[in-house]
Amino acid sequence: MLKIKAVIFDLNGVFLHFPRLAGIFQGLQPDNRVISFAESLRKKGIKVFILSNTIISNEYYYKKFPRFKTAVDKAYFSRETGIIKPDKEAWQQILKENNLRPEECFYFDDSITYVNIAKGLGLKSFYFESEEEMEKTVKKLIS
C-alpha cells in the first residue's frame, strides 16, 4: 500500500463555510472540525495544503483565522500563483513544489468538476459532502 503524504483541500465549502450568502465576509466561518482534522493529519506527518481560486480580499480575510497556520503547511491561492482551477497546473504546482506523486495525495473539493480533473491527474480525489464522510474516507485509506 502506498503511503499518503499529503491532503489537499479546497478552501471555500470545505475548509471554510458560508452560513449566510448575504454579507459573505460577515458570515464566513472556519469549519473547526475540518481544521482539527487537518491539524491531526499534520501531527501524523501528512502534509496539508489548500488549493483555492481567490480574489485578494478573500485571501486577506482567510489568513486572519488564527488556526489556519497551524492546520495548513501551505495555501496555494490563485491570486498568488496566477493559476486558476480548472487549469491542471494548479494541482501540478503543488505536486512539483513538494516532491509528491499524484497517487500519494488525497484531494477534497465541493466541486465535482475539480474532483474529476484531479482524478484525471492521478490524485485520490473525493467530492466533499460532510466532515464525517471525509474523515471516514481518509482514516480508512491511511490505516
Side-chain angles (χ1 to χ4, degrees), residues 23-40:
I24 266 179
F25 289 113
Q26 291 79 25
L28 184 65
Q29 296 296 320
D31 187 317
N32 287 316
R33 183 168 178 174
V34 174
I35 291 172
S36 293
F37 185 62
E39 289 169 335
S40 75

